[in-house]
Amino acid sequence: MARSDKVLSIDPTASPQDFLRQFAEAEAQYYALRQTDPAAAGDVSRMLSLSLKERFPFIYSAKRIAFYGTGRISACILSVIEQFAKDISAEVIFLHTRKVTGDRFRGYPVYNAADLAEARPDIIVIASVDYADEIRRVLDKAGWDGLPPVSVPQEIRLLLENYKRWRGGVAAPPAIVESGQDTFRRDTEPFCIEKADWQNKDLLCAFPAIREKVTAIIDPGHAGETFLGIPILAARPENADGMRIRELSDVLAEYLEYHEIVEYTPIAMRLDVSTVCQLNCAGCYMRKENYGTVGRGYIRAAQVRKLLDENPGIRKMELSNNGEPFCNPEMYEILKILHEKNILIQLWNGTNLNDVPDRVLDALVRFDTDTITVSLDGVTQEVYEQYRRNGNIEKVYRNIRKINELKKKYKRKHPLLRWQFILMNHNQHEAAAAKKMAEELGMEIFFKPDWSGGFIEDRSLHLHEVTGMKEVGEEEYYIGENHMFGSAEMCAQMILSPQVNWDGKLLGCCNVYKSDWGVNIFETPLSGIFNDANYRAAVLSLLRGRDGMDHTGPCRKCGIYEKNVISSRYRLPL
């Protein structure tokens, strides 16, 4: 068979739906031939280019074609654009919201979208109409007026319509939907990573396409072990194929940038089972902000079961955040469901542990809760109630002792009990007594600065020695340790353990309560959140340590993001 006989044909005058179907079939053919018959794949590329020229004749006037978003271009489309530009003697450039002007992408010049006036393209090509709003914002910011119906010098036209729109609602052929995954698996060179820590392991579980490319984990402390079939080595062998060490954050950023359909299977999530709370803490942001966007309520046990049925990969779940988890009247049933589904249960973020039914205390131990953090800012009622208003410290002590009794009864080591003591002016004199009391109760204790400000250390108390903290005050702590408020772990939650509100709203991380991402997990499984362009762009900004103009949402209103990412002082380490 002659090579040209293999090339499918496209009717440029066909209806939008038929044109798309033919275009999709030809694109699938391009990918099938790319490895086995590169020359034939080139014929397909030229045929696709010709079909676009005939369908969009106004493009002939273009002298400079800009492709918007290097992260949204498939190999086939890039080949078509290159061929097309060559046929009409046009220059190809790339616009991007995160890259800087002067960069290169596959040999072509890159302009930051903010420098659109300098780039001066005749036509902007976008791969998806999902990004039309983004490009409109870019145009508005650059002072370009509207989107003219025809292409003339110094005017802009959105050339390629979205594939979904062309399909007229018809589902994408499998070859197109899966091509992003196939491209990553085919084109990304194997590599190895360092550290067999929980964070790397959770990320590899969450992104199977990345996991398949990891040949080894270099970690002397775990040498000889394996994880998901990946060998853990003491050192990287010399001159071995696929043994280049890479940072997972860089690999993940590339994956999210270059593939429209993301394969995501998280093993952990954070679910705020209740935003209701019986206390009235002095610094409670929830009451001050009238519960923000999260509202006041709790999730039902039946909803938890449905959530887990739709996200079967979940193996760990944090149940506390903005409220008091034990104010949920269905807490016993929720714990039982999690236990039945073999979910690791955590209340790491914290509980006031004032009002907990005995049946629930029993369930916490019997259903293998891993960790419980108790917010206890004092040793005596007089000191405790100054911040934890409406709280009763004797109830807390009673519940802690009851849990310890149940651990002995069921011969369990868990839950691990952690005492969180926030250092404030009125309670710092009880820090030493709290440390002693924690030991008597079999608890780990940790101290943290008062985030509301105004804390003045009483140096006669020797708090550095008592607490084990190098820096006691908030300002001293973060300057001395070069930390950021909330730590990197908080931002990493968006990837490793997304925060979900009791009503299904996707919050992303535990620091969000005033807004959300416009995605509801009761309607969209967690596996689909990275296919939301807005959420993905925010995560990419965190991974790259550079702000992008193409996302809106909670990160835009977050002091951590503003102080660190926008100023390019911080990059999410994974």
Side-chain angles (χ1 to χ4, degrees):
M1 181 186 294
R3 194 177 70 222
S4 60
D5 293 340
K6 297 181 181 180
V7 179
L8 298 174
S9 61
I10 296 178
D11 178 8
T13 65
S15 67
Q17 185 169 335
D18 286 341
F19 180 80
L20 175 78
R21 177 183 56 77
Q22 295 170 17
F23 196 95
E25 290 172 353
E27 187 176 22
Q29 183 187 45
Y30 171 88
Y31 283 113
L33 294 172
R34 192 178 176 200
Q35 296 295 318
T36 59
D37 193 343
D43 288 345
V44 175
S45 174
R46 283 185 285 276
M47 182 273 296
L48 289 168
S49 175
L50 180 62
S51 69
L52 288 175
K53 285 198 305 183
E54 293 181 1
R55 188 167 184 87
F56 304 104
F58 56 81
I59 198 173
Y60 277 104
S61 63
K63 295 302 179 185
R64 202 172 213 208
I65 302 174
F67 199 103
Y68 178 66
T70 58
R72 293 134 186 173
I73 182 171
S74 70
C76 179
I77 293 298
L78 176 62
S79 175
V80 170
I81 294 298
E82 288 174 331
Q83 182 65 47
F84 181 69
K86 181 179 179 181
D87 290 345
I88 65 172
S89 300
E91 179 186 5
V92 173
I93 63 173
F94 287 90
L95 291 176
H96 203 277
T97 56
R98 289 173 293 279
K99 297 186 182 297
V100 298
T101 300
D103 280 355
R104 307 286 293 184
F105 176 72
R106 301 194 184 184
Y108 294 99
V110 171
Y111 289 82
N112 186 278
D115 298 325
L116 184 64
E118 179 183 345
R120 305 300 287 183
D122 298 319
I123 291 174
I124 295 180
V125 177
I126 60 172
S128 168
V129 81
D130 293 338
Y131 307 116
D133 288 341
E134 294 178 17
I135 195 64
R136 287 177 189 275
R137 289 197 298 271
V138 171
L139 295 175
D140 290 343
K141 191 166 184 177
W144 290 59
D145 243 354
L147 298 174
V150 295
S151 175
V152 297
Q154 311 308 333
E155 290 183 332
I156 301 298
R157 166 88 182 199
L158 299 183
L159 171 63
L160 297 183
E161 297 176 350
N162 173 265
Y163 281 169
K164 297 172 188 174
R165 177 178 291 179
W166 281 357
R167 290 186 182 99
V170 178
I176 302 302
V177 173
E178 297 173 0
S179 63
Q181 308 302 324
D182 295 341
T183 301
F184 183 86
R185 290 185 166 102
R186 181 180 63 243
D187 294 346
T188 302
E189 295 293 329
F191 62 94
C192 59
I193 62 172
E194 295 181 307
K195 295 183 182 178
D197 58 18
W198 70 267
Q199 192 165 258
N200 283 344
K201 289 179 177 179
D202 281 9
L203 191 144
L204 292 176
C205 287
F207 296 93
I210 294 177
R211 181 175 69 236
E212 292 174 14
K213 289 296 181 178
V214 178
T215 55
I217 302 174
I218 311 302
D219 192 334
H222 296 273
E225 301 175 12
T226 61
F227 177 70
L228 296 175
I230 303 170
I232 303 177
L233 309 177
R236 182 175 69 89
E238 296 295 330
N239 303 319
D241 291 337
M243 297 301 290
R244 179 168 66 105
I245 294 178
R246 297 197 62 188
E247 294 287 340
L248 275 180
S249 57
D250 290 335
V251 178
L252 178 57
E254 289 176 10
Y255 181 52
L256 295 179
E257 276 193 314
Y258 299 132
H259 301 97
E260 186 172 355
I261 305 299
V262 172
E263 188 178 356
Y264 178 57
T265 55
I267 67 168
M269 68 174 291
R270 307 172 67 88
L271 177 64
D272 202 348
V273 295
S274 169
T275 54
V276 178
C277 184
Q278 79 279 45
L279 302 192
N280 183 20
C281 296
C284 180
Y285 56 88
M286 290 287 283
R287 292 180 185 272
K288 289 180 179 179
E289 300 287 346
N290 194 27
Y291 296 91
T293 191
V294 299
R296 188 173 184 271
Y298 55 86
I299 193 170
R300 303 286 182 174
Q303 292 175 302
V304 173
R305 184 180 294 279
K306 182 175 183 292
L307 182 64
L308 292 173
D309 288 343
E310 293 175 350
N311 297 275
I314 297 297
R315 301 266 59 87
K316 296 185 287 187
M317 186 176 285
E318 166 67 46
L319 301 180
S320 59
N321 192 28
N322 289 314
E324 171 56 26
F326 299 113
C327 283
N328 188 320
E330 299 186 21
M331 192 62 173
Y332 175 86
E333 290 76 11
I334 291 171
L335 293 171
K336 184 178 181 181
I337 290 169
L338 296 177
H339 179 67
E340 290 172 351
K341 290 186 173 290
N342 198 29
I343 307 296
L344 180 72
I345 305 167
Q346 292 182 322
L347 290 101
W348 188 275
N349 208 38
T351 165
N352 63 58
L353 207 68
N354 270 253
D355 302 295
V356 189
D358 285 347
R359 185 170 79 138
V360 174
L361 289 172
D362 183 86
L364 288 170
V365 179
R366 192 156 50 90
F367 295 152
D368 300 314
T369 301
D370 180 72
T371 309
I372 300 174
T373 299
V374 183
S375 300
L376 197 52
D377 316 301
V379 173
T380 63
Q381 177 66 22
E382 179 184 6
V383 170
Y384 173 72
E385 67 183 3
Q386 288 188 52
Y387 186 78
R388 306 287 170 183
R389 296 184 302 212
N390 298 338
N392 186 321
I393 201 167
E394 291 304 322
K395 285 185 177 181
V396 181
Y397 288 152
R398 179 263 181 191
N399 289 330
I400 292 171
R401 293 189 177 102
K402 181 66 175 178
I403 291 174
N404 285 331
E405 291 171 6
L406 290 166
K407 287 166 69 173
K408 291 180 181 179
K409 174 183 176 181
Y410 292 117
K411 298 180 181 180
R412 305 288 172 85
K413 294 182 179 180
H414 290 89
L416 169 68
L417 297 175
R418 304 169 72 238
W419 181 325
Q420 174 187 276
F421 191 110
I422 299 176
L423 289 168
M424 293 173 272
N425 291 326
H426 72 272
N427 70 358
Q428 57 182 309
H429 66 283
E430 288 196 345
K435 188 175 181 180
K436 182 179 179 181
M437 177 71 80
E439 185 177 355
E440 294 174 359
L441 293 172
M443 303 178 73
E444 292 184 359
I445 189 168
F446 67 99
F447 299 86
K448 57 192 291 189
D450 175 14
W451 304 129
S452 63
F455 174 67
I456 301 175
E457 176 191 356
D458 183 346
R459 297 190 179 277
S460 68
L461 298 173
H462 307 291
L463 290 178
H464 291 78
E465 180 180 343
V466 171
T467 65
M469 298 170 64
K470 293 180 180 179
E471 293 81 22
V472 173
E474 179 184 359
E475 183 177 356
E476 179 187 35
Y477 177 72
Y478 283 109
I479 293 177
E481 291 285 356
N482 194 28
H483 287 304
M484 56 184 285
F485 171 78
S487 82
E489 184 179 342
M490 188 178 290
C491 295
Q493 291 169 10
M494 292 184 66
I495 303 169
L496 300 174
S497 55
Q499 178 74 51
V500 176
N501 196 40
W502 63 272
D503 60 0
K505 291 188 183 81
L506 176 64
L507 304 179
C509 82
C510 66
N511 195 43
V512 173
Y513 65 97
K514 293 183 180 180
S515 57
D516 62 86
W517 289 97
V519 175
N520 194 293
I521 302 305
F522 293 152
E523 301 168 0
T524 302
L526 275 172
S527 59
I529 62 176
F530 278 98
N531 295 318
D532 178 78
N534 203 27
Y535 191 82
R536 186 199 307 211
V539 170
L540 274 169
S541 292
L542 291 168
L543 290 169
R544 294 299 195 194
R546 287 181 293 183
D547 182 41
M549 297 193 308
D550 51 358
H551 73 88
T552 59
C555 290
R556 287 289 183 200
K557 303 173 184 177
C558 177
I560 303 172
Y561 184 87
E562 179 182 356
K563 293 177 182 177
N564 294 278
V565 177
I566 292 180
S567 62
S568 299
R569 288 171 47 209
Y570 170 73
R571 180 175 175 230
L572 186 63
L574 287 175

